[in-house]
Amino acid sequence: MLKLNLGCGHDQRPGFVNVDSQAACQPDQVVDLEHFPWPWADSSVDEVVMSHVLEHLGASTEVYLGIIRELYRVCAANARVTIIVPHPRSDNYLADPTHVRPITAMGLQMFNQELNRQSMAEGGSSTPLGVYLGVDWVMESSDVKILEPWASRFNSGQLQDGDIAMAVQNFYNVVGDCTFVMRIRKPAFAG
């Protein structure tokens, strides 16, 4: 089984096929992830890392959803997908003109068919993208890197989880990077 480091740039990882659209990075494979189909076989990948790449891809909804479909297609059942992105309310996200799409936990949960079906049963307004696209994953973990001065205040006990959550909703530059780990569910949820 393959391990893919998609959009690797200069972050070459041992044990992974390092993939980038730019030959200047000297990846193992030069692949433009916005062109389909990707060159890997169905269910041939057991781990994917996308570190600071997904926010650069899929300016059009059609292309973004195509990336999600291809990611699902090439991943085997129970494959691990790690996505690291800058928080959309951070200067790291906002300052880079090549960032075309904010990536959030809520947005990634839209590809979880179990949650899609729950929302549909409850009359929720979320678009059940997992059901519509025939893709399915479960978010295994979601982690954020809290920036200063918030991190010191949180670590010293001056702020609690709720304080940080409120700050994230109301202020910029509270969180730097977000790390999301998903597990591919195949066959898709049938509940």
Side-chain angles (χ1 to χ4, degrees), residues 160-186:
Q160 305 303 311
D161 287 336
D163 300 321
I164 294 295
M166 182 69 75
V168 169
Q169 287 181 341
N170 291 294
F171 302 110
Y172 285 80
N173 296 310
V174 177
V175 171
D177 288 348
C178 304
T179 301
F180 307 110
V181 178
M182 274 74 62
R183 288 285 177 183
I184 298 293
R185 190 162 33 197
K186 287 184 178 180

